[in-house]
């Protein structure tokens, strides 16, 4: 049964697969085939090792970030396509009435979703690499190999978080907001840790906030890979404004792996508690507005200035607006005012404790 259902879902999404593959490949091929890969400077047309007075060759970016940008976009868009069935009452009832466990429905949806993400990524990545390799260049092309598998890891991390957070909503708009919540919350937590470190003079200083969010890890990986591809130190100069990353840092891989495991685990564990009649209703999950509104309010007030009236009012009003979006009406019961007040007071207390 599950095999037939998988074939059905895959066949149903073949046009989407073809469209995504075409879009990603065309964009990446156009960029890599038209971008200037290097330029020469100095008195000589080319660099001769051992004769620095002859000038040099400056490596431009190989544009590897473009394929990762496309991959990241697909990791956000595809989950919305695959799991939006639970946000329509008729389709939710139809899917949940199938003689297949919900975990298996989500498994099939996830496998097809990953195909929709990684097949276009693979085709576009290979095509873009060939465009660079067949042109005159001075790159260390061997780095494209770990770059491909790194994209798989960080893509899984992004997809897992996006899929889990989107699936906790009962409406598509709420699902998009939940994705944003979970993508950005790590930056605030990392910023809080940095504030505490600097305030109490506790090493190590300056925790890399990128490690606290999957998209941040992905960006740092992309910048590091860009540096390595360009950095052929025997012949090439690299720009002084380079990102400066010169080594792989284990935390970015560990963090991405943990995000992937947590995202997919929650994605498959929580659907058993879903109800078909919840579709199109308020998104009341504890993994959504209920926790995120007071949490964001507390962190933003705490980090931005919990004793200044302007910040307190600004972020409290933002919390009220988000609650209106949550409840879909301007008037809501006292419990939600308590939720907002708890977040604001916690932010003030947090700021007083830190500073």
């Amino acid at each position: 049964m599950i095999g037939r259902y998988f074939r059905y879902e895959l066949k149903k999404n073949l046009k989407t697969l073809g469209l995504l593959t075409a879009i990603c490949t065309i964009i990446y091929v156009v960029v890599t085939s038209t971008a200037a890969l290097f330029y020469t400077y100095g008195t000589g047309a080319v660099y001769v090792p051992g004769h620095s007075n002859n000038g040099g060759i400056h490596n431009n970016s190989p544009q590897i970030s473009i394929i990762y940008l496309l991959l990241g976009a697909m990791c956000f868009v595809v989950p919305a396509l695959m799991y939006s069935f639970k946000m329509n009452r008729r389709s939710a009832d139809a899917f949940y009435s199938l003689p297949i466990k919900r975990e298996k429905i989500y498994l099939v949806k996830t496998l097809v979703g990953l195909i929709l993400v990684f097949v276009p990524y693979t085709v576009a990545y290979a095509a873009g690499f060939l465009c660079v390799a067949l042109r005159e260049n001075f790159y260390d092309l061997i780095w494209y190999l770990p770059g491909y598998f790194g994209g798989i890891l960080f893509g899984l991390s992004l997809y897992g978080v996006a899929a889990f957070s989107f699936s906790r909503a009962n409406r598509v708009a709420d699902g998009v907001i939940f994705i944003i919540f979970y993508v950005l919350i790590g930056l605030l937590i990392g910023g809080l840790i940095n504030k505490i470190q600097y305030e109490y003079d506790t090493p190590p200083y300056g925790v890399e906030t990128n490690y606290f969010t999957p998209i941040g890890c992905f960006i740092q990986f992309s910048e590091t890979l860009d540096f390595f591809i360009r950095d052929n130190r025997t012949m090439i100069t690299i720009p002084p404004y380079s990102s400066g990353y010169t080594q792989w840092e284990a935390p970015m891989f560990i963090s991405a792996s943990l995000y992937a495991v947590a995202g997919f685990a929650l994605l498959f564990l929580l659907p058993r508690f879903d109800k078909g009649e919840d579709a199109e209703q308020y998104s009341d999950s504890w993994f959504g507005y209920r926790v995120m509104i007071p949490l964001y309010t507390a962190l933003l007030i705490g980090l931005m200035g919990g004793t200044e009236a302007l910040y307190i009012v600004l972020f409290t009003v933002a919390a009220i607006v988000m609650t209106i979006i949550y409840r879909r009406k301007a008037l809501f019961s006292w419990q939600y005012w308590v939720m907002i007040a708890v977040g604001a007071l916690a932010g003030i207390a947090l700021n007083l404790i830190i500073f």
Side-chain angles (χ1 to χ4, degrees), residues 33-189:
S33 60
T34 59
L37 304 184
F38 67 92
Y39 65 84
T40 60
Y41 66 95
T43 59
V46 294
Y47 178 76
V48 179
H51 299 273
S52 59
N53 61 320
N54 283 350
I57 296 173
H58 169 99
N59 265 340
N60 293 324
S61 171
Q63 306 298 327
I64 194 72
S65 61
I66 299 299
I67 186 60
Y68 292 144
L69 178 63
L70 293 169
L71 174 59
M74 288 190 292
C75 287
F76 292 136
V77 172
V78 171
L81 296 176
M82 300 310 299
Y83 309 110
S84 59
F85 74 91
K86 72 180 293 290
M87 299 168 188
N88 178 277
R89 188 166 298 176
R90 291 182 61 184
S91 64
D93 290 339
F95 275 97
Y96 291 153
S97 64
L98 292 174
I100 307 175
K101 290 184 177 180
R102 294 185 183 183
E103 291 83 354
K104 293 183 179 180
I105 293 177
Y106 275 80
L107 175 61
V108 169
K109 289 278 189 181
T110 301
L111 290 176
V112 173
L114 292 176
I115 290 173
L116 293 180
V117 168
F118 289 117
V119 168
Y121 163 69
T122 300
V123 174
Y125 193 96
F129 169 76
L130 288 176
C131 286
V132 172
L134 294 176
R135 297 176 63 192
E136 184 181 11
N137 71 86
F138 299 91
Y139 295 141
D140 285 336
L141 296 178
I142 190 63
W143 288 106
Y144 274 87
L145 183 60
Y148 171 76
F149 291 104
I152 296 291
L153 170 62
F154 291 101
L156 286 172
S157 176
L158 283 175
Y159 189 98
V161 171
F164 147 69
S165 53
F166 184 84
S167 67
R168 291 305 87 216
N170 294 329
R171 295 180 297 161
V172 172
D174 292 337
V176 173
I177 293 173
F178 288 4
I179 291 177
I180 296 172
F181 277 155
Y182 279 91
V183 167
L184 298 181
I185 190 65
L187 294 177
L188 296 181
I189 295 174

Side-chain angles (χ1 to χ4, degrees), residues 68 143 145-158 208 210-214 216-225 228 245-261:
Y68 292 144
W143 288 106
L145 183 60
Y148 171 76
F149 291 104
I152 296 291
L153 170 62
F154 291 101
L156 286 172
S157 176
L158 283 175
E208 180 55 67
N210 282 347
Y211 299 151
F212 288 84
T213 173
C217 291
F218 206 166
I219 292 172
Q220 186 160 334
F221 174 80
S222 174
E223 292 179 344
T224 306
L225 185 67
F228 282 141
Y245 296 116
T246 57
Q247 62 181 351
W248 299 118
E249 298 183 356
M252 79 170 79
F253 297 102
I254 296 173
S255 178
S257 300
L258 292 175
Y259 270 111
V261 171

Side-chain angles (χ1 to χ4, degrees), residues 12 24 30 32 38 44 61 73 78 102 133 163 187 209 225 286 297 309 338:
K12 186 177 71 172
C24 292
V30 169
T32 53
F38 67 92
S61 171
V78 171
R102 294 185 183 183
L187 294 177
T209 55
L225 185 67
W286 284 102
T297 305
V338 170

